[in-house]
Amino acid sequence: MRQRGSVLIASVWTLSVLFLLSTSLAFYASVFVRSARERTELFVSGTVFASSVPWMARLFSEDVSAVNDAPGEAWLGTVTVPERWRRDLWIESRDEESKLNLNSAPGPVLQELFASLKRQQVFLADESETARAIVEYRAHKPFEHLEELALVGLDAEAREKLKPFVTVYAAKGLAPRVNLNTAPPPVLEAMTRTLPETAGPVRETILSALRRAREAGVVFTAEDLAPDRFASKLGLPRNPETDAAVATLAAEFTTDSALIRVEMTYRKRRFAEAVLEPTRDETRVLFWRERKVALHAA
Amino acid sequence: MRSSQKGVTLLELLVALALFAVAAPLVANALFQGVRSAAKVRASIDARRAEDRLFARLEADLRNALPLSQAAFIGDADRFSFPLAGSLKRVTYEAKNGALLRSESDLKGGDASRTFLGDDVEKFSVEYAYADPSGKITFLPYWTKEPYAGLPRAVRVRMVRSGGVSESLVTLPQGHFGKAGE
């Protein structure tokens, strides 16, 4: 029992050494976790969105029908992302051709669109004032980005609300047209209701025919846009007035989309958007905006 | 014998004290050294993080540059400036009197608000990617504003501070290569 004192001392020493060791380990661990966290955030914000571009381009190039684009295709709407991202990442895409082009749509059509959105409480600014300001702006120079709507007096919220309905982008070498298959109802309304005065009551007939077709899930092909095919596909009565109105309208439509707007949400926070033009050889980026990803937001 | 079984003898106590007296300064020294180096490590990590954040911000800003014909990307050897997507403000990065500054103004160049990003900057140099007719990429210290050339495809930023050199090559999604040798 003589060793009792030394056992006590030895155990005190052992304990303090263990304590020191564990403290320093804990310190290194905390430092490591801190810097790893920061690096991960930088890495994710820098790469996830960048890698989604080839992903979208691939989906788009696998598009089954090269000429006709309609809802239900893989690249449109909520995009299925690779398995390992599925828990945190959402990609939403829309074709820009589903929207009215601010550079080419006539003033009255824009005004009608804004009025229709106002009736739905989506857009609150004065419709005729906004349409006039847009026409005035583009007489000077065409819109290059939707952001420029700030220069005609629309605030960020109003611009955000308009995003699903208007665009300024057009595929290289193509006149801007609206995709009949993907255009949202207010766009179809605006285009139909502003047909020439001579069309008169025919306008509402055409509009309800378009709505019926959309409800029935009818997909239009490029051939359907030939004026007489278009009228019969819509089940419209044949008379000179209708034929003229339908011919005017059909010229404004396309069934093919070439541009997509991609929006990405990471853990419920939208952090990036881009407008892409995927072609066979490369993907042109027409617009790009990213925000920092907060992985560990409170 | 009985008493020695119960407690610690004086001799044992003395030996323990002597041992303690020898070991304590050693341990205390090690401990303080540890604490000091921990503080040092933490400070250097914080500095590194500040630099990482600075570059992350600069890179994100550059990628968010908007090609706008009425407000071109202007690039010089020691500063660059461009309109930013989202806010449609003109952002400028430049080094002045040893400090790296980021300023924001409206597109017409009105009042600027300045943010201080870091001091102790000995050199801040920027280069922009050009491609010659054969496709070879070279970096040159200017980006042409006239005629309107859009955004550069790549920008190389190099910053020399007393702590070391940081370099970053940023790719702009909407940019394209300048034409060299024309």
Side-chain angles (χ1 to χ4, degrees):
Chain A
M1 289 314 236
R2 275 202 160 264
Q3 286 90 348
R4 213 152 73 179
S6 24
V7 167
L8 181 74
I9 291 163
S11 49
V12 167
W13 278 106
T14 317
L15 274 179
S16 37
V17 165
L18 277 179
F19 174 75
L20 273 178
L21 267 177
S22 60
T23 322
S24 67
L25 257 180
F27 168 73
Y28 277 116
S30 80
V31 164
F32 184 74
V33 166
R34 222 153 49 111
S35 64
R37 217 172 248 186
E38 183 108 349
R39 294 205 160 266
T40 317
E41 273 176 28
L42 294 178
F43 179 76
V44 169
S45 55
T47 56
V48 170
F49 190 48
S51 46
S52 80
V53 170
W55 173 252
M56 288 307 298
R58 211 199 67 176
L59 278 183
F60 202 82
S61 67
E62 281 175 0
D63 183 5
V64 274
S65 60
V67 210
N68 303 305
D69 293 306
E73 288 170 19
W75 57 270
L76 194 63
T78 305
V79 175
T80 312
V81 298
E83 185 68 45
R84 58 179 291 268
W85 292 347
R86 209 158 284 173
R87 217 161 48 99
D88 302 319
L89 188 69
W90 282 263
I91 305 182
E92 288 278 333
S93 82
R94 261 208 92 79
D95 53 332
E96 287 292 280
E97 279 81 357
S98 67
K99 308 165 186 180
L100 269 183
N101 195 303
L102 289 182
N103 286 324
S104 62
V109 180
L110 290 175
Q111 188 175 333
E112 184 63 36
L113 175 73
F114 297 146
S116 149
L117 293 175
K118 202 171 188 177
R119 282 195 293 276
Q120 296 173 26
Q121 306 285 315
V122 174
F123 181 70
L124 301 173
D126 183 76
E127 66 268 20
S128 61
E129 187 58 35
T130 310
R132 196 190 53 76
I134 288 172
V135 171
E136 214 163 78
Y137 186 91
R138 75 187 187 197
H140 174 60
K141 75 172 260 304
F143 285 91
E144 289 165 79
H145 297 282
L146 214 51
E147 247 89 352
E148 284 170 76
L149 282 176
L151 304 178
V152 302
L154 292 185
D155 60 14
E157 199 193 335
R159 297 204 300 275
E160 201 56 48
K161 292 273 172 66
L162 280 184
K163 242 177 218 174
F165 307 103
V166 297
T167 181
V168 299
Y169 305 103
K172 228 176 188 172
L174 287 177
R177 293 217 172 88
V178 173
N179 189 332
L180 177 57
N181 292 321
T182 53
V187 170
L188 295 179
E189 262 172 49
M191 293 173 72
T192 322
R193 291 220 166 106
T194 48
L195 282 169
E197 203 57 49
T198 49
V202 178
R203 292 186 282 203
E204 288 303 317
T205 319
I206 297 175
L207 182 56
S208 51
L210 282 174
R211 281 186 180 139
R212 269 200 310 278
R214 177 59 66 84
E215 270 163 31
V218 176
V219 172
F220 293 88
T221 62
E223 296 78 45
D224 291 334
L225 291 181
D228 48 335
R229 276 276 296 270
F230 192 38
S232 61
K233 181 126 181 175
L234 285 172
L236 290 170
R238 304 305 296 270
N239 56 54
E241 273 170 9
T242 316
D243 284 356
V246 163
T248 315
L249 195 58
E252 301 295 320
F253 282 132
T254 178
T255 56
D256 182 30
S257 293
L259 305 178
I260 41 174
R261 175 181 286 272
V262 187
E263 285 185 357
M264 309 222 348
T265 309
Y266 192 83
R267 297 200 178 161
K268 298 194 176 144
R269 187 164 178 272
R270 195 174 80 187
F271 80 94
E273 56 190 307
V275 177
L276 309 173
E277 184 181 5
T279 61
R280 199 177 296 268
D281 310 316
E282 50 149 20
T283 302
R284 256 179 85 213
V285 179
L286 302 174
F287 174 75
W288 181 282
R289 187 185 175 198
E290 65 183 52
R291 279 164 257 215
K292 193 169 172 265
V293 176
L295 285 181
H296 300 277
Chain B
M1 282 308 265
R2 195 180 284 176
S3 62
S4 72
Q5 274 178 349
K6 269 192 179 160
V8 183
T9 64
L10 181 63
L11 189 66
E12 275 174 351
L13 198 65
L14 281 175
V15 168
L17 270 176
L19 249 173
F20 187 74
V22 171
L26 283 176
V27 171
N29 192 28
L31 188 68
F32 287 128
Q33 191 114 28
V35 169
R36 266 201 302 275
S37 71
K40 225 170 159 183
V41 166
R42 196 168 283 195
S44 92
I45 284 177
D46 282 348
R48 186 69 238 168
R49 283 177 62 196
E51 190 124 331
D52 277 352
R53 269 202 294 266
L54 190 161
F55 270 95
R57 183 173 191 185
L58 183 146
E59 287 162 12
D61 272 350
L62 268 174
R63 284 195 296 268
N64 281 340
L66 202 62
L68 264 186
S69 54
Q70 80 264 37
F73 186 106
I74 307 168
D76 292 317
D78 57 355
R79 69 195 293 275
F80 52 88
S81 148
F82 51 85
L84 196 65
S87 69
L88 217 64
K89 296 261 192 205
R90 177 171 280 282
V91 170
T92 308
Y93 277 87
E94 63 189 321
K96 248 187 194 165
N97 304 326
L100 185 65
L101 300 171
R102 176 192 189 273
S103 45
E104 262 189 26
S105 64
D106 59 35
L107 283 188
K108 293 186 181 76
D111 288 341
S113 69
R114 278 199 175 151
T115 323
F116 170 82
L117 294 178
D119 57 1
D120 191 23
V121 179
E122 284 165 19
K123 197 168 190 298
F124 180 70
S125 52
V126 197
E127 290 177 319
Y128 312 88
Y130 285 81
D132 68 10
S134 69
K136 192 172 166 285
I137 306 296
T138 45
F139 280 84
L140 300 171
Y142 51 82
W143 185 253
T144 48
K145 178 191 169 194
E146 299 287 348
Y148 174 62
L151 301 181
R153 180 74 184 161
V155 176
R156 189 156 68 192
V157 181
R158 195 162 176 275
M159 189 163 76
V160 183
R161 296 169 104 170
S162 62
V165 183
S166 322
E167 199 177 271
S168 174
L169 179 63
V170 192
T171 315
L172 280 63
Q174 311 172 72
H176 55 85
F177 292 110
K179 291 194 179 90
E182 275 183 19

